[in-house]
Amino acid sequence: MIKHRFHPIRYFNAIGTAEPCLRIADGDTVVTDTVDASGLDAREVAVASRPNPMSGPFFIEGAEPGDTLAVRIDRLTPSRATGWTYSPLALTVLDPAAVIDRLPQQRAVWDIDSKTGTVRLQEPGKGLEDFAPPVQPMIGCFGVAPAGGQALSTATSAQNGGNMDYRLFAPGTTAWFPVSVPGALFYLGDGHACQGDGEITGTGIETSFEMEVTFHVLKRTITWPRGETAEEIFTIGNARPLDQALQHATTEMSAWLGEDFGLDPRAASHLMGQVVRYDVGNVFNPAFTVACRISKRWLTKR
């Protein structure tokens, strides 16, 4: 198992089939740089300027269509002392009647304090003078190349992952992606220093990162992304409308409970009906994201 240090000179604004930037073995770790849209000054971007520039693609030896790529998020370290967000609330989360009075869009800069582990607005405004939420780094956009030679914009998400903006994609989590092309062709980027559920202003605190991830190829098939923390398992659905995203996540969780925990569909429904938790990953992007989450305390067989 090797730890690779990769410095990108080129970033992608779509996740698809492209020449790999690096070939690695099953079990290897990659440490790489990611940038937010404001960090591209002297960088080459593979596609016209759009959100969420991605590092990659990384080719993982032994990954074949029908497999699953497990990506353990080892470390996310902001590489800049500032980040940025937008206000006000996004159109997608407001009543139609409130849209007419919505303020113009405005960009705000945040200080990222590594010593205190907090973020603060540089111009907080009235009532937010003492507002300093903790730094909680997460990956907003990552995934593998989709099937059929497609290239999907990093503004959206699908079965291959993509711009899910789910706050549990954080250090200590292992994310699973369905492999559709040889080598999986994995991309990552869009680091957030902090973000609430839903990405309801259209951004987290966007900044550049050094990211460290470890790859494992699993010889099993999944349909939608999955994730695991020390305490929970979760499944992801990406779609619009929101209820369709929830349906994908719920169906994937029911399948997982059968595959790994020995529950038939009726038993799975009994368990899920009482202890499942749903999170909204994002309600801003073209595809919304819903996570279906269960505590491991309820799972007795694996």
Side-chain angles (χ1 to χ4, degrees):
M1 298 180 183
I2 298 173
K3 180 181 287 190
H4 305 266
R5 187 67 180 87
F6 179 74
H7 294 284
I9 59 171
R10 193 173 190 229
Y11 293 89
F12 290 81
N13 295 123
I15 296 177
T17 303
E19 185 66 25
C21 67
L22 185 68
R23 289 176 175 260
I24 64 171
D26 180 11
D28 283 1
T29 297
V30 169
V31 180
T32 191
D33 306 310
T34 66
V35 296
D36 59 289
S38 68
L40 291 173
D41 302 328
R43 312 273 188 161
E44 178 187 358
V45 184
V47 186
S49 180
R50 287 180 60 92
N52 302 330
M54 295 288 104
S55 300
F58 298 96
F59 186 104
I60 295 85
E61 302 286 354
E64 297 293 340
D67 292 344
T68 294
L69 182 67
V71 182
R72 188 181 71 220
I73 304 170
D74 298 319
R75 179 172 57 86
L76 302 176
T77 305
S79 53
R80 221 174 52 234
T82 61
W84 57 273
T85 58
Y86 282 128
S87 65
L89 294 172
L91 296 173
T92 50
V93 301
L94 292 173
D95 286 334
V99 170
I100 192 170
D101 296 321
R102 182 175 177 263
L103 298 171
Q105 189 177 69
Q106 187 176 78
R107 180 169 159 142
V109 178
W110 298 69
D111 290 323
I112 302 170
D113 191 330
S114 60
K115 291 182 179 180
T116 62
T118 59
V119 291
R120 285 180 179 269
L121 280 163
Q122 289 187 353
E123 298 180 10
K126 185 177 180 180
L128 294 179
E129 295 88 350
D130 298 322
F131 181 56
V135 174
Q136 294 180 316
M138 54 168 282
I139 303 178
C141 186
F142 65 148
V144 296
Q150 300 178 81
L152 299 181
S153 167
T154 59
T156 194
S157 57
Q159 289 173 271
N160 66 306
N163 195 28
M164 298 173 285
D165 292 309
Y166 179 45
R167 59 181 175 78
L168 283 193
F169 285 132
T173 295
T174 297
W176 296 8
F177 298 98
V179 176
S180 297
V181 301
L185 297 180
F186 175 81
Y187 298 75
L188 81 168
D190 188 28
H192 299 174
C194 184
Q195 181 206 288
D197 285 343
E199 200 187 33
I200 60 174
T201 66
T203 66
I205 297 181
E206 312 282 335
T207 193
S208 299
F209 272 83
E210 181 177 86
M211 298 187 177
E212 181 174 335
V213 294
T214 299
F215 301 95
H216 291 283
V217 177
L218 309 179
K219 294 300 179 179
R220 60 180 301 168
T221 299
I222 64 176
T223 303
W224 288 90
R226 300 179 181 182
E228 181 174 2
T229 70
E231 296 83 24
E232 298 172 310
I233 64 171
F234 61 87
T235 52
I236 296 290
N238 300 311
R240 191 184 282 208
L242 192 67
D243 59 349
Q244 186 177 352
L246 184 145
Q247 290 162 4
H248 293 321
T250 305
T251 303
E252 188 73 11
M253 179 59 78
S254 181
W256 195 356
L257 294 177
E259 295 161 5
D260 285 11
F261 303 100
L263 301 182
D264 64 30
R266 192 175 303 280
S269 72
H270 285 311
L271 185 146
M272 293 173 68
Q274 308 312 315
V275 301
V276 79
R277 300 291 182 264
Y278 287 104
D279 295 329
V280 177
N282 94 83
V283 284
F284 176 78
N285 302 326
F288 294 158
T289 297
V290 171
C292 178
R293 181 167 51 86
I294 290 179
S295 170
K296 289 181 178 178
R297 64 179 290 209
W298 305 115
L299 305 175
T300 58
K301 177 182 177 181
R302 191 170 188 182

